[in-house]
Amino acid sequence: MAVLLLTLLGFALLDALDVLLVAITTAVVADSRLARRSPLVGVLSFLGGVFAVSVLFGVATVLGIDFLVRLLDFDLTPTLRYWGELVIGLVLIAVAALPVDTGAAPGGRWVEPVRKYPWLMGVIGFTLGLAKVPTSVPYLAALAMISAQRPLPAIWPVLVAAYCLVALVLPLAVLALALRRTTGARRMYRVLVRGVTRFGPPVVRVLFVVFGVVLVVDALVHAGQLW
């Protein structure tokens, strides 16, 4: 269980380096400052929408896999486990080689329709989550690892929810710093936003390669179990 928790934490922190979520959060914060109101409702509504769809997708995925396993009387053998590690590792390395669009701007006219009703940002968050979650390689890998546990841990829904919460730690940090008025908080806010925007994608690439290599090496170390 300890290995599973550490791996899930690593994947969640990797998932947290999402430039788009940070960019939208800073856009809501900037618009709220222009309108002289708190960004709390807008940002929490947006992140709440992302969190809700992420948890729903995760729970549905684990339940679906578990149902198929029980229906087909599927047994996770060491051979399948290490083949799974090998495939996931190669996918992570391949994803690291794909081009990443880093041009997400922190502003945009999409903010205007929800200026009077910040809670509508929850709809935007839910919609964005529908497009983001099914293509999140770290999240899919984490769900696969949870589903591979036999029997499923009694707290697996809590693990899914905790993963989704950790994956939002950077936008939440941006919001927390934006709510503070001290000079130090404002400086940290600018540093965090610029750092994630500039270094987020390269760091994700590197971590994808690291995670991928670790999984591939572990599968090759147990090469005798692959056949």
Side-chain angles (χ1 to χ4, degrees), residues 1 35-37 43-44 46 57 75 78 113 143 145 150 163 171-172 174 176 183 216 223 226:
M1 178 61 77
R36 297 182 181 277
R37 67 166 185 270
V43 174
L44 289 183
F46 170 68
F57 178 86
D75 184 26
L143 293 177
M145 293 193 66
R150 286 292 172 265
Y163 178 102
L172 289 173
V174 169
T183 303
V216 170
L226 295 175

Side-chain angles (χ1 to χ4, degrees), residues 66-74:
D66 186 59
F67 173 76
L68 290 176
V69 167
R70 295 177 183 273
L71 180 66
L72 301 175
D73 194 21
F74 178 79

Side-chain angles (χ1 to χ4, degrees), residues 64-197:
I65 294 175
D66 186 59
F67 173 76
L68 290 176
V69 167
R70 295 177 183 273
L71 180 66
L72 301 175
D73 194 21
F74 178 79
D75 184 26
L76 183 65
T77 63
T79 298
L80 291 174
R81 172 191 170 186
Y82 291 115
W83 269 111
E85 283 191 0
L86 182 62
V87 170
I88 293 175
L90 292 175
V91 168
L92 289 175
I93 294 172
V95 170
L98 296 177
V100 178
D101 181 15
T102 61
R109 289 182 293 178
W110 58 268
V111 178
E112 295 294 336
V114 295
R115 178 165 286 177
K116 293 183 179 179
Y117 308 101
W119 56 267
L120 287 178
M121 285 300 300
V123 178
I124 295 178
F126 195 90
T127 304
L128 178 65
L130 288 175
K132 171 185 177 296
V133 173
T135 59
S136 173
V137 176
Y139 192 32
L140 296 178
L143 293 177
M145 293 193 66
I146 294 175
S147 302
Q149 304 300 308
R150 286 292 172 265
L152 280 175
I155 61 169
W156 72 263
V158 177
L159 296 180
V160 173
Y163 178 102
C164 297
L165 184 61
V166 173
L168 297 176
V169 65
L170 282 184
L172 289 173
V174 169
L175 174 62
L177 291 173
L179 292 175
R180 301 193 63 184
R181 299 296 183 181
T182 64
T183 303
R186 292 178 179 177
R187 185 180 300 111
M188 289 181 61
Y189 172 86
R190 290 193 294 269
V191 170
L192 178 60
V193 172
R194 290 173 182 173
V196 172
T197 303

